[in-house]
């Protein structure tokens, strides 16, 4: 597959796209190992999700690991979203103070490379439905769910009982990010991609004016803010995230095997989570 370099055309409404969060669905043995791991709890604050960010316990069907500006959502096979084992998704977002919904929507609609659909996600507070975020997605086929969102500051008002005029990723995570944990933030995503997902993601990024940092046959590398995305074309039926890389506080020795997930540190201030 050939690409033209995808040089940004200077569209200020789209160029500040960032990784918001990632979800993966793991098998039962791996999920139970994650829930029971004391070492995992030293890496990042963990909770069961909105609205109260309650601690993970035996009843949890999803583990949320919260970092400074991103988070990881690990689901077990009995998750409430009914996502099957092996499913993965990457949510992207624009900070609301940088981009308004109308400006982003206008820029996306003007794209001649790809058509995007728009939808909304809501959350109920005391029986009142509040817009959580508006998001855009393409109809291209692929195993990896990808969506591009603008979050509503009013949602934070209801969630934290404090008036917000903007919505940054850090605003949502400020109260649950624990700076005493080992992981600071996500720094890299390595994906072994089948042809459908390779085509889907590269086409979506091109339409959104995301610049390619480096490319060669079967490999495309992007840099979205502080997160590097390495997309590798692989001869496989289902795409998978092979590795998540995190910026860490120190070089503490770490080597954990939790089912199909292995977590270790490198010689630099980096922690890697590898999936089998």
């Amino acid at each position: 597959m050939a690409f033209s370099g995808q040089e940004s055309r200077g569209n200020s409404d789209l160029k500040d796209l960032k990784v918001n969060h990632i979800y993966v669905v793991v098998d039962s043995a791996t999920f139970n190992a994650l829930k029971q791991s004391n070492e995992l709890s030293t890496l990042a604050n963990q909770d069961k999700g909105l609205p109260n960010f309650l601690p993970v316990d035996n009843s949890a069907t999803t583990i949320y690991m919260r970092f400074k500006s991103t988070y990881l959502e690990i689901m077990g096979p009995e998750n409430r979203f009914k996502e099957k084992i092996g499913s993965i998704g990457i949510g992207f977002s624009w900070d609301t103070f940088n981009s308004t919904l109308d400006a982003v929507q206008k820029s996306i609609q003007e794209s001649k490379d790809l058509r995007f659909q728009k939808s909304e996600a809501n959350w109920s507070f005391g029986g009142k439905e509040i817009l959580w975020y508006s998001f855009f997605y393409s109809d291209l086929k692929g195993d990896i769910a990808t969506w591009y969102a603008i979050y509503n500051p009013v949602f934070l008002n209801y969630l934290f009982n404090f008036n917000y005029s903007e919505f940054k990723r850090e605003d949502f995570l400020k109260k649950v990010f624990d700076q005493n944990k080992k992981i600071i933030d996500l720094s890299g995503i390595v994906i072994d991609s089948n042809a459908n997902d390779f085509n889907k993601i590269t086409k979506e990024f091109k339409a959104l004016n995301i610049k390619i940092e480096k490319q060669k046959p079967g490999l495309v590398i992007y840099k979205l803010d502080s997160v590097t995305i390495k997309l590798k074309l692989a001869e496989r039926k289902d795409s998978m995230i092979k590795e998540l890389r995190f910026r860490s506080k120190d070089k503490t020795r770490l080597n954990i095997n939790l089912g199909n997930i292995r977590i270790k540190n490198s010689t630099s201030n980096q922690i890697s989570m590898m999936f089998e």
Side-chain angles (χ1 to χ4, degrees):
M1 300 181 183
F3 302 96
S4 61
Q6 292 182 212
E7 290 293 334
S8 171
R9 293 189 287 272
N11 192 323
S12 60
D13 295 323
L14 297 179
K15 70 182 180 64
D16 294 323
L17 185 67
K18 301 175 181 179
V19 176
N20 188 283
H21 67 282
I22 300 167
Y23 76 74
V24 296
V25 185
V26 300
D27 62 273
S28 181
T30 299
F31 189 70
N32 288 331
L34 291 166
K35 282 199 295 185
Q36 295 166 13
S37 172
N38 291 326
E39 288 181 288
L40 189 70
S41 66
T42 69
L43 301 183
N45 195 35
Q46 299 173 48
D47 62 74
K48 295 196 294 184
L50 295 176
N52 299 315
F53 302 101
L54 296 174
V56 172
D57 56 23
N58 287 333
S59 69
T61 61
T62 302
I63 299 170
Y64 293 86
M65 298 182 68
R66 311 289 186 175
F67 318 119
K68 186 175 182 179
S69 65
T70 58
Y71 66 93
L72 174 60
E73 182 179 359
I74 307 176
M75 303 184 210
E78 303 302 321
N79 65 85
R80 67 186 180 90
F81 302 104
K82 302 189 185 305
E83 293 279 359
K84 66 180 182 178
I85 295 171
S87 296
I88 54 179
I90 308 174
F92 303 88
S93 66
W94 293 272
D95 289 340
T96 303
F97 79 98
N98 275 340
S99 303
T100 66
L101 176 61
D102 289 343
V104 168
Q105 180 169 302
K106 181 180 178 181
S107 295
I108 289 177
Q109 288 174 338
E110 288 176 349
S111 170
K112 295 179 174 57
D113 296 309
L114 187 64
R115 189 185 187 111
F116 286 84
Q117 309 295 326
K118 178 189 171 187
S119 191
E120 294 180 343
N122 298 293
W123 192 273
S124 180
F125 291 94
K128 185 176 182 179
E129 290 292 311
I130 300 298
L131 174 66
W132 185 2
Y133 58 91
S134 301
F135 63 100
F136 303 89
Y137 60 95
S138 78
D139 292 330
L140 294 175
K141 293 181 179 180
D143 298 323
I144 302 174
T146 52
W147 64 99
Y148 307 88
I150 287 284
Y151 285 78
N152 179 22
V154 175
F155 174 82
L156 293 179
N157 299 353
Y158 280 85
L159 185 64
F160 297 132
N161 194 29
F162 186 85
N163 189 40
Y164 286 82
S165 60
E166 59 191 34
F167 195 127
K168 303 188 300 295
R169 298 170 304 164
E170 293 83 355
D171 294 330
F172 175 63
L173 296 168
K174 186 174 182 179
K175 292 191 176 183
V176 287
F177 169 62
D178 188 342
Q179 60 184 353
N180 295 314
K181 302 290 186 177
K182 293 180 180 178
I183 290 177
I184 299 173
D185 219 339
L186 179 71
S187 63
I189 308 169
V190 180
I191 303 172
D192 276 4
S193 172
N194 62 25
N196 281 343
D197 283 307
F198 195 84
N199 176 67
K200 173 187 173 179
I201 294 174
T202 52
K203 282 191 173 181
E204 288 179 351
F205 280 12
K206 180 181 180 183
L208 296 171
N209 298 321
I210 306 303
K211 180 182 177 181
I212 288 177
E213 289 288 313
K214 182 179 179 181
Q215 71 178 111
K216 58 184 181 180
L219 174 67
V220 185
I221 298 175
Y222 302 92
K223 186 76 176 289
L224 276 67
D225 192 46
S226 57
V227 178
T228 299
I229 299 176
K230 183 179 291 187
L231 189 64
K232 300 193 298 183
L233 183 61
E235 292 186 6
R236 54 180 305 119
K237 179 182 177 182
D238 300 316
S239 299
M240 69 177 296
I241 291 177
K242 285 295 292 181
E243 183 181 358
L244 296 176
R245 296 171 180 169
F246 305 96
R247 185 162 50 94
S248 63
K249 289 177 58 178
D250 50 43
K251 301 178 183 179
T252 305
R253 186 177 298 277
L254 190 68
N255 196 345
I256 312 171
N257 288 300
L258 300 168
N260 289 326
I261 293 177
R262 183 185 178 196
I263 304 171
K264 68 172 188 174
N265 65 307
S266 62
T267 54
S268 60
N269 285 35
Q270 177 179 290
I271 291 174
S272 294
M273 178 180 288
M274 290 162 288
F275 298 80
E276 297 178 356

